[in-house]
Amino acid sequence: MANRSAFCRWDRSDSTALFGGICVVLGFPPFGLVPLLFLGLYFLFRRTANVSPARGIRLGLIFGLAVQAGGFYWISGAVAKFYSIFLTGGDGGGSSATFLGLGAFLIWWIFSTIGWGIWGGLLAFAPQFTVTRVAWTALSLMALEALYPRVFPWNLGAGVVRIPWLAQGAWWCGVEGLTGVIAVVAAIFAEADRSAPKWKLRLRSSAIVILVIWSLGGAIRASGEDAGGSTVLRIGYVQAMIGLEERHSRDLAVQGSVVEKIVRMTREVYEDESPDVVIWSEGMLPSVATPEEVGAWVRARIRAPLVIGGLAERDDQTFNCAFVCLDPGGDGVRYYNKRTLVPFGEEIPGQGLLKALGVPVPSQKIGKGNELLIFELSSVPVSLSICFEGILRETSHEIRRSGARLHLNLTEDLWYGESSAPYQHLALTRMRAIEAGVPLVRITNGGISATCDRRGRMREGDRIPLGGLRAGIFEIAVPDLLPDPPWTQLLFRYSPILLLPIGIGIVRSRRRGANSGVPPADDGSSHIS
């Protein structure tokens, strides 16, 4: 009973872990207080040094509860909106939608926080030698991001996007690799505080050297220009700010008014700006259509090059789709079907297992695409992604390998309201553009629409704010040649494999210590290797 009460008692370490989690939230967009990313991890590392695994798990859980609640509170509202629009016949759902949203968030919150608890236990299991402890700390966090099942693949490394010279590290390390670098810097400062006096200055100096090299290298790359020529594309955008209830209304008159609004804005862009193409965001056509029907509609209404987000019908399945209508006078309409579906929105994870266990599961109505689409604008190869596909490493690198020199991402983001989610979504997509080295054009219904070059740089006017009703032109210079990412990305990507030999060494060392009767150090002193 005494042990249980001691475990449940809140103390200073718990408060520090909670504060560390809050710091991480404030370090990530939209707040963008980047130094707090390092500080938040530093607090957790200080408190998990020389504690039992059970204590480490508790501190990791407390830290994770703050990170997940502060970073993803918007899940509740998004689920409630989805339920009220799609699962109630348009009646809104009322309090049931609210309770469903809260319930979904609570279940997700607990499950996602368990991952941080596992990491806290791994931190407590860390070796006693400083160098290997720092390596274990960083590699275990990278492994957690890579392996722990998550609905939203959020990466701590993307939090540095607000500081351009730090963001460039994604080119050398990858976004997940930057997570490891942040952890290394924070862990070295934490080790310095618990080390002998003669080592404090050396450790802190080494952390500062890492930051200086990282910043200088990034500043040089961020200020660089591409060798050879480039093609300037004029991409028209329509950020129409059409409410979800209007877009998904079953009233044909409301659907007609939605289409008329977008058509009017599109015509104004073509008449005033003469773009190469105009992009409509994800799902802007309010009804399901075949590519042939979309082509006939474009020829009759607009007769101009368009890329339109909508829903396509093929072989008795519905697809979240982008229709590419570059020849409005012809019959050919190409299309891209979304390949990675949003869990719980467009697909149910583990659907086959749930059905086998007798759990009633709604039938899956959204199909998966199976290949990229490549098309040309002014002789520039372009490829597409839809919604959160743009934040995935696999998508951005596959687009680069396909030969495309511009990544076009269509998304919605009104599901999340004026929360932190649209800012996070943009940050993650922008960091993938830096990592893969492919320029990005991102078009949304309610914001944030934006463009960036292959170094993630945004010019003034290349960002349309959240909630802005606007149509216009993005001009983006696309290099004629995109270099391949450096080999160091692969090195960082597979570096968590080193956890295995380090872990074996930890186990053997502790067994030797147990056999010799020498207890592990618990006085907070550092063991310098």
Side-chain angles (χ1 to χ4, degrees), residues 247-451:
R247 275 185 46 213
H248 300 287
S249 172
R250 292 160 175 79
D251 188 326
L252 294 180
V254 174
Q255 289 186 17
S257 67
V258 167
V259 172
E260 285 301 320
K261 178 180 180 180
I262 306 172
V263 168
R264 183 174 63 254
M265 297 175 75
T266 301
R267 287 173 176 164
E268 290 173 356
V269 173
Y270 273 111
E271 291 170 1
D272 298 339
E273 305 287 353
S274 300
D276 295 306
V277 67
V278 170
I279 314 296
W280 295 8
S281 63
E282 176 189 10
M284 291 309 292
L285 283 182
S287 58
V288 179
T290 65
E292 293 77 15
E293 290 170 338
V294 171
W297 183 84
V298 171
R299 289 194 300 274
R301 301 295 298 276
I302 301 177
R303 297 189 66 82
L306 290 174
V307 175
I308 302 172
L311 295 175
E313 192 172 55
R314 282 282 184 185
D315 302 324
D316 298 324
Q317 270 198 309
T318 301
F319 296 89
N320 190 344
C321 179
F323 300 99
V324 179
C325 317
L326 299 183
D327 182 14
D331 295 327
V333 175
R334 303 179 70 187
Y335 57 93
Y336 167 75
N337 293 329
K338 186 177 181 183
R339 299 179 299 160
T340 306
L341 305 183
V342 177
F344 303 107
E346 295 170 326
E347 69 171 350
I348 306 297
Q351 188 170 195
L353 176 61
L354 292 175
K355 287 182 178 180
L357 295 173
V359 178
V361 178
S363 60
Q364 182 176 339
K365 297 182 179 179
I366 302 294
K368 286 186 179 182
N370 52 28
E371 60 183 13
L372 282 177
L373 173 66
I374 308 293
F375 60 95
E376 289 192 352
L377 295 175
S378 298
S379 300
V380 174
V382 179
S383 192
L384 284 160
S385 68
I386 297 175
C387 191
F388 92 144
E389 288 181 319
I391 73 176
L392 303 176
R393 183 191 184 280
E394 295 77 10
T395 300
S396 58
H397 284 267
E398 186 177 359
I399 285 175
R400 178 189 56 78
R401 289 193 300 268
S402 73
R405 302 206 311 272
L406 180 66
H407 177 186
L408 178 60
N409 178 246
L410 281 61
T411 190
E412 170 58 70
D413 279 4
L414 271 187
W415 292 108
Y416 315 115
E418 295 186 7
S419 69
S420 60
Y423 298 94
Q424 295 175 5
H425 198 173
L426 173 61
L428 291 161
T429 309
R430 186 178 169 192
M431 289 295 286
R432 292 300 182 190
I434 297 172
E435 177 183 340
V438 179
L440 170 73
V441 175
R442 182 175 188 267
I443 307 297
T444 73
N445 175 25
I448 307 165
S449 297
T451 74

Side-chain angles (χ1 to χ4, degrees), residues 35-374:
L36 294 186
L37 291 174
F38 299 86
L39 188 62
L41 292 181
Y42 163 85
F43 283 135
L44 181 63
F45 298 158
R46 286 287 288 123
R47 291 305 182 186
T48 53
N50 293 323
V51 300
S52 68
R55 184 63 176 161
I57 291 172
R58 174 190 170 98
L59 293 173
L61 288 172
I62 293 171
F63 179 86
L65 285 170
V67 171
Q68 301 304 113
F72 298 93
Y73 63 90
W74 43 265
I75 288 176
S76 175
V79 171
K81 283 184 181 180
F82 185 89
Y83 172 79
S84 65
I85 290 173
F86 289 116
L87 302 180
T88 64
D91 295 331
S95 59
S96 59
T98 301
F99 284 122
L100 181 65
L102 288 173
F105 170 74
L106 288 173
I107 293 171
W108 173 87
W109 188 25
I110 293 170
F111 177 77
S112 60
T113 298
I114 290 172
W116 292 105
I118 293 172
W119 188 46
L122 290 173
L123 292 178
F125 185 70
Q128 293 300 315
F129 297 108
T130 296
V131 173
T132 47
R133 178 189 288 273
V134 170
W136 177 268
T137 296
L139 295 172
S140 59
L141 179 55
M142 293 169 64
L144 178 75
E145 287 193 347
L147 300 176
Y148 192 77
R150 298 177 295 165
V151 176
F152 300 97
W154 177 88
N155 301 103
L156 190 70
V160 301
V161 68
R162 187 67 67 88
I163 302 180
W165 55 87
L166 294 184
Q168 300 306 311
W171 173 249
W172 295 292
C173 307
V175 179
E176 289 83 0
L178 277 186
T179 295
V181 177
I182 293 169
V184 164
V185 172
I188 291 175
F189 276 115
E191 289 297 306
D193 284 353
R194 58 188 294 272
S195 66
K198 68 176 182 178
W199 288 102
K200 289 184 184 293
L201 180 59
R202 298 180 188 182
L203 288 170
R204 289 170 181 163
S205 298
S206 66
I208 292 171
V209 167
I210 292 173
L211 286 171
V212 169
I213 294 174
W214 179 7
S215 299
L216 287 178
I220 292 170
R221 184 172 190 272
S223 61
E225 299 295 334
D226 292 309
S230 63
T231 302
V232 177
L233 294 180
R234 292 172 55 79
I235 308 293
Y237 63 86
V238 176
Q239 185 168 300
M241 271 299 294
I242 295 172
L244 296 167
E245 292 79 7
E246 293 177 81
R247 275 185 46 213
H248 300 287
S249 172
R250 292 160 175 79
D251 188 326
L252 294 180
V254 174
Q255 289 186 17
S257 67
V258 167
V259 172
E260 285 301 320
K261 178 180 180 180
I262 306 172
V263 168
R264 183 174 63 254
M265 297 175 75
T266 301
R267 287 173 176 164
E268 290 173 356
V269 173
Y270 273 111
E271 291 170 1
D272 298 339
E273 305 287 353
S274 300
D276 295 306
V277 67
V278 170
I279 314 296
W280 295 8
S281 63
E282 176 189 10
M284 291 309 292
L285 283 182
S287 58
V288 179
T290 65
E292 293 77 15
E293 290 170 338
V294 171
W297 183 84
V298 171
R299 289 194 300 274
R301 301 295 298 276
I302 301 177
R303 297 189 66 82
L306 290 174
V307 175
I308 302 172
L311 295 175
E313 192 172 55
R314 282 282 184 185
D315 302 324
D316 298 324
Q317 270 198 309
T318 301
F319 296 89
N320 190 344
C321 179
F323 300 99
V324 179
C325 317
L326 299 183
D327 182 14
D331 295 327
V333 175
R334 303 179 70 187
Y335 57 93
Y336 167 75
N337 293 329
K338 186 177 181 183
R339 299 179 299 160
T340 306
L341 305 183
V342 177
F344 303 107
E346 295 170 326
E347 69 171 350
I348 306 297
Q351 188 170 195
L353 176 61
L354 292 175
K355 287 182 178 180
L357 295 173
V359 178
V361 178
S363 60
Q364 182 176 339
K365 297 182 179 179
I366 302 294
K368 286 186 179 182
N370 52 28
E371 60 183 13
L372 282 177
L373 173 66
I374 308 293

Side-chain angles (χ1 to χ4, degrees), residues 471-488:
I473 294 290
F474 287 136
E475 287 193 351
I476 183 165
V478 180
D480 292 339
L481 179 65
L482 297 179
D484 291 334
W487 60 269
T488 50

